[in-house]
Amino acid sequence: MELFLWGKYRTLVVKLYGELDHHAAQNVRESVDRELLKSGVINVAFDFENVTFMDSSGIGVIMGRCKITKSLGGKVIIYGASDEVKRIIKMAGIDKIVTLSDEIEQGIKEASLNV
């Protein structure tokens, strides 16, 4: 996992690799929350381009970050997800509370329109 700030959009970008399952979820959750608290960003953009699998723990990570960003006046953006991961996101209903897009810039634009 890589974390970096995109100050222009007050966005924390979280680049994930491999599986977002119960083994990885706690680390992702703690790292993202720590960065959200200290950085002053309001949005979280998850780069799912290299995510090969996600289970209910991954869904929990996303839902928890939605709650935090909403309280900050921001949004969660998921971009670059494979068709398989998008299917899981849609089956869980997460696509109703996040902005799902193919590219980060597109996702940020869509998220700002849906505030």
PDB file of all heavy atoms in Angstrom, residues 89-106:
ATOM      1  N   ILE A  89     -18.328  -4.518  -5.371  1.00  0.00           N
ATOM      2  CA  ILE A  89     -18.717  -3.197  -4.851  1.00  0.00           C
ATOM      3  C   ILE A  89     -20.201  -2.952  -5.102  1.00  0.00           C
ATOM      4  O   ILE A  89     -20.931  -2.491  -4.219  1.00  0.00           O
ATOM      5  CB  ILE A  89     -17.841  -2.097  -5.495  1.00  0.00           C
ATOM      6  CG1 ILE A  89     -16.412  -2.191  -4.958  1.00  0.00           C
ATOM      7  CG2 ILE A  89     -18.418  -0.709  -5.264  1.00  0.00           C
ATOM      8  CD1 ILE A  89     -15.397  -1.367  -5.719  1.00  0.00           C
ATOM      9  N   LYS A  90     -20.652  -3.270  -6.292  1.00  0.00           N
ATOM     10  CA  LYS A  90     -22.060  -3.053  -6.635  1.00  0.00           C
ATOM     11  C   LYS A  90     -22.982  -4.015  -5.897  1.00  0.00           C
ATOM     12  O   LYS A  90     -24.067  -3.625  -5.453  1.00  0.00           O
ATOM     13  CB  LYS A  90     -22.252  -3.152  -8.150  1.00  0.00           C
ATOM     14  CG  LYS A  90     -21.629  -1.973  -8.873  1.00  0.00           C
ATOM     15  CD  LYS A  90     -21.755  -2.078 -10.367  1.00  0.00           C
ATOM     16  CE  LYS A  90     -21.083  -0.868 -11.030  1.00  0.00           C
ATOM     17  NZ  LYS A  90     -21.138  -0.944 -12.484  1.00  0.00           N
ATOM     18  N   MET A  91     -22.571  -5.271  -5.736  1.00  0.00           N
ATOM     19  CA  MET A  91     -23.385  -6.241  -4.998  1.00  0.00           C
ATOM     20  C   MET A  91     -23.556  -5.807  -3.540  1.00  0.00           C
ATOM     21  O   MET A  91     -24.619  -6.022  -2.946  1.00  0.00           O
ATOM     22  CB  MET A  91     -22.746  -7.633  -5.057  1.00  0.00           C
ATOM     23  CG  MET A  91     -22.972  -8.336  -6.367  1.00  0.00           C
ATOM     24  SD  MET A  91     -22.193  -9.972  -6.523  1.00  0.00           S
ATOM     25  CE  MET A  91     -22.070 -10.589  -4.898  1.00  0.00           C
ATOM     26  N   ALA A  92     -22.531  -5.189  -2.976  1.00  0.00           N
ATOM     27  CA  ALA A  92     -22.583  -4.739  -1.584  1.00  0.00           C
ATOM     28  C   ALA A  92     -23.323  -3.403  -1.446  1.00  0.00           C
ATOM     29  O   ALA A  92     -23.583  -2.958  -0.339  1.00  0.00           O
ATOM     30  CB  ALA A  92     -21.169  -4.607  -1.030  1.00  0.00           C
ATOM     31  N   GLY A  93     -23.628  -2.765  -2.572  1.00  0.00           N
ATOM     32  CA  GLY A  93     -24.326  -1.481  -2.538  1.00  0.00           C
ATOM     33  C   GLY A  93     -23.423  -0.307  -2.252  1.00  0.00           C
ATOM     34  O   GLY A  93     -23.883   0.818  -2.058  1.00  0.00           O
ATOM     35  N   ILE A  94     -22.124  -0.540  -2.251  1.00  0.00           N
ATOM     36  CA  ILE A  94     -21.153   0.521  -1.961  1.00  0.00           C
ATOM     37  C   ILE A  94     -21.176   1.598  -3.048  1.00  0.00           C
ATOM     38  O   ILE A  94     -20.891   2.760  -2.775  1.00  0.00           O
ATOM     39  CB  ILE A  94     -19.723  -0.064  -1.855  1.00  0.00           C
ATOM     40  CG1 ILE A  94     -19.674  -1.112  -0.770  1.00  0.00           C
ATOM     41  CG2 ILE A  94     -18.685   1.002  -1.645  1.00  0.00           C
ATOM     42  CD1 ILE A  94     -19.386  -0.639   0.582  1.00  0.00           C
ATOM     43  N   ASP A  95     -21.519   1.220  -4.269  1.00  0.00           N
ATOM     44  CA  ASP A  95     -21.551   2.199  -5.367  1.00  0.00           C
ATOM     45  C   ASP A  95     -22.573   3.302  -5.127  1.00  0.00           C
ATOM     46  O   ASP A  95     -22.521   4.340  -5.772  1.00  0.00           O
ATOM     47  CB  ASP A  95     -21.804   1.510  -6.705  1.00  0.00           C
ATOM     48  CG  ASP A  95     -23.128   0.774  -6.758  1.00  0.00           C
ATOM     49  OD1 ASP A  95     -23.503   0.137  -5.746  1.00  0.00           O
ATOM     50  OD2 ASP A  95     -23.783   0.818  -7.808  1.00  0.00           O
ATOM     51  N   LYS A  96     -23.468   3.110  -4.172  1.00  0.00           N
ATOM     52  CA  LYS A  96     -24.471   4.131  -3.842  1.00  0.00           C
ATOM     53  C   LYS A  96     -23.906   5.209  -2.907  1.00  0.00           C
ATOM     54  O   LYS A  96     -24.458   6.294  -2.829  1.00  0.00           O
ATOM     55  CB  LYS A  96     -25.686   3.487  -3.168  1.00  0.00           C
ATOM     56  CG  LYS A  96     -26.265   2.316  -3.906  1.00  0.00           C
ATOM     57  CD  LYS A  96     -27.339   2.724  -4.866  1.00  0.00           C
ATOM     58  CE  LYS A  96     -28.075   1.572  -5.471  1.00  0.00           C
ATOM     59  NZ  LYS A  96     -27.364   0.725  -6.374  1.00  0.00           N
ATOM     60  N   ILE A  97     -22.798   4.893  -2.209  1.00  0.00           N
ATOM     61  CA  ILE A  97     -22.252   5.839  -1.231  1.00  0.00           C
ATOM     62  C   ILE A  97     -20.846   6.328  -1.572  1.00  0.00           C
ATOM     63  O   ILE A  97     -20.318   7.180  -0.876  1.00  0.00           O
ATOM     64  CB  ILE A  97     -22.277   5.255   0.201  1.00  0.00           C
ATOM     65  CG1 ILE A  97     -21.450   3.977   0.301  1.00  0.00           C
ATOM     66  CG2 ILE A  97     -23.706   5.026   0.658  1.00  0.00           C
ATOM     67  CD1 ILE A  97     -21.270   3.454   1.708  1.00  0.00           C
ATOM     68  N   VAL A  98     -20.246   5.784  -2.618  1.00  0.00           N
ATOM     69  CA  VAL A  98     -18.932   6.243  -3.074  1.00  0.00           C
ATOM     70  C   VAL A  98     -19.045   6.699  -4.521  1.00  0.00           C
ATOM     71  O   VAL A  98     -20.041   6.434  -5.192  1.00  0.00           O
ATOM     72  CB  VAL A  98     -17.841   5.144  -2.980  1.00  0.00           C
ATOM     73  CG1 VAL A  98     -17.706   4.593  -1.581  1.00  0.00           C
ATOM     74  CG2 VAL A  98     -18.083   4.033  -3.977  1.00  0.00           C
ATOM     75  N   THR A  99     -18.015   7.371  -4.982  1.00  0.00           N
ATOM     76  CA  THR A  99     -17.915   7.699  -6.406  1.00  0.00           C
ATOM     77  C   THR A  99     -17.015   6.653  -7.036  1.00  0.00           C
ATOM     78  O   THR A  99     -15.866   6.488  -6.638  1.00  0.00           O
ATOM     79  CB  THR A  99     -17.333   9.108  -6.598  1.00  0.00           C
ATOM     80  OG1 THR A  99     -18.199  10.049  -5.969  1.00  0.00           O
ATOM     81  CG2 THR A  99     -17.201   9.445  -8.070  1.00  0.00           C
ATOM     82  N   LEU A 100     -17.548   5.925  -7.992  1.00  0.00           N
ATOM     83  CA  LEU A 100     -16.837   4.855  -8.680  1.00  0.00           C
ATOM     84  C   LEU A 100     -16.504   5.335 -10.083  1.00  0.00           C
ATOM     85  O   LEU A 100     -17.395   5.733 -10.830  1.00  0.00           O
ATOM     86  CB  LEU A 100     -17.746   3.616  -8.734  1.00  0.00           C
ATOM     87  CG  LEU A 100     -17.172   2.289  -9.158  1.00  0.00           C
ATOM     88  CD1 LEU A 100     -16.017   1.868  -8.257  1.00  0.00           C
ATOM     89  CD2 LEU A 100     -18.260   1.231  -9.147  1.00  0.00           C
ATOM     90  N   SER A 101     -15.210   5.356 -10.408  1.00  0.00           N
ATOM     91  CA  SER A 101     -14.815   5.847 -11.728  1.00  0.00           C
ATOM     92  C   SER A 101     -13.597   5.084 -12.238  1.00  0.00           C
ATOM     93  O   SER A 101     -12.990   4.304 -11.519  1.00  0.00           O
ATOM     94  CB  SER A 101     -14.520   7.349 -11.673  1.00  0.00           C
ATOM     95  OG  SER A 101     -13.349   7.587 -10.946  1.00  0.00           O
ATOM     96  N   ASP A 102     -13.257   5.361 -13.488  1.00  0.00           N
ATOM     97  CA  ASP A 102     -12.104   4.706 -14.098  1.00  0.00           C
ATOM     98  C   ASP A 102     -10.799   5.436 -13.807  1.00  0.00           C
ATOM     99  O   ASP A 102      -9.745   4.818 -13.742  1.00  0.00           O
ATOM    100  CB  ASP A 102     -12.301   4.580 -15.612  1.00  0.00           C
ATOM    101  CG  ASP A 102     -13.428   3.616 -15.950  1.00  0.00           C
ATOM    102  OD1 ASP A 102     -13.631   2.640 -15.205  1.00  0.00           O
ATOM    103  OD2 ASP A 102     -14.121   3.854 -16.959  1.00  0.00           O
ATOM    104  N   GLU A 103     -10.868   6.761 -13.632  1.00  0.00           N
ATOM    105  CA  GLU A 103      -9.664   7.572 -13.403  1.00  0.00           C
ATOM    106  C   GLU A 103      -9.895   8.525 -12.240  1.00  0.00           C
ATOM    107  O   GLU A 103     -11.016   8.957 -11.997  1.00  0.00           O
ATOM    108  CB  GLU A 103      -9.320   8.380 -14.649  1.00  0.00           C
ATOM    109  CG  GLU A 103      -8.989   7.525 -15.847  1.00  0.00           C
ATOM    110  CD  GLU A 103      -8.726   8.350 -17.089  1.00  0.00           C
ATOM    111  OE1 GLU A 103      -8.915   9.587 -17.061  1.00  0.00           O
ATOM    112  OE2 GLU A 103      -8.345   7.748 -18.097  1.00  0.00           O
ATOM    113  N   ILE A 104      -8.835   8.893 -11.563  1.00  0.00           N
ATOM    114  CA  ILE A 104      -8.955   9.736 -10.380  1.00  0.00           C
ATOM    115  C   ILE A 104      -9.539  11.114 -10.689  1.00  0.00           C
ATOM    116  O   ILE A 104     -10.405  11.601  -9.968  1.00  0.00           O
ATOM    117  CB  ILE A 104      -7.609   9.863  -9.626  1.00  0.00           C
ATOM    118  CG1 ILE A 104      -7.832  10.575  -8.280  1.00  0.00           C
ATOM    119  CG2 ILE A 104      -6.547  10.553 -10.453  1.00  0.00           C
ATOM    120  CD1 ILE A 104      -6.655  10.538  -7.347  1.00  0.00           C
ATOM    121  N   GLU A 105      -9.090  11.739 -11.764  1.00  0.00           N
ATOM    122  CA  GLU A 105      -9.599  13.076 -12.084  1.00  0.00           C
ATOM    123  C   GLU A 105     -11.100  13.047 -12.331  1.00  0.00           C
ATOM    124  O   GLU A 105     -11.841  13.898 -11.869  1.00  0.00           O
ATOM    125  CB  GLU A 105      -8.874  13.676 -13.305  1.00  0.00           C
ATOM    126  CG  GLU A 105      -7.416  13.998 -13.055  1.00  0.00           C
ATOM    127  CD  GLU A 105      -6.494  12.813 -13.334  1.00  0.00           C
ATOM    128  OE1 GLU A 105      -6.983  11.707 -13.667  1.00  0.00           O
ATOM    129  OE2 GLU A 105      -5.275  12.986 -13.203  1.00  0.00           O
ATOM    130  N   GLN A 106     -11.549  12.047 -13.074  1.00  0.00           N
ATOM    131  CA  GLN A 106     -12.973  11.874 -13.349  1.00  0.00           C
ATOM    132  C   GLN A 106     -13.723  11.650 -12.035  1.00  0.00           C
ATOM    133  O   GLN A 106     -14.782  12.224 -11.811  1.00  0.00           O
ATOM    134  CB  GLN A 106     -13.166  10.684 -14.283  1.00  0.00           C
ATOM    135  CG  GLN A 106     -14.610  10.308 -14.525  1.00  0.00           C
ATOM    136  CD  GLN A 106     -14.732   8.971 -15.248  1.00  0.00           C
ATOM    137  OE1 GLN A 106     -13.746   8.343 -15.619  1.00  0.00           O
ATOM    138  NE2 GLN A 106     -15.959   8.535 -15.437  1.00  0.00           N
TER     139      GLN A 106
END
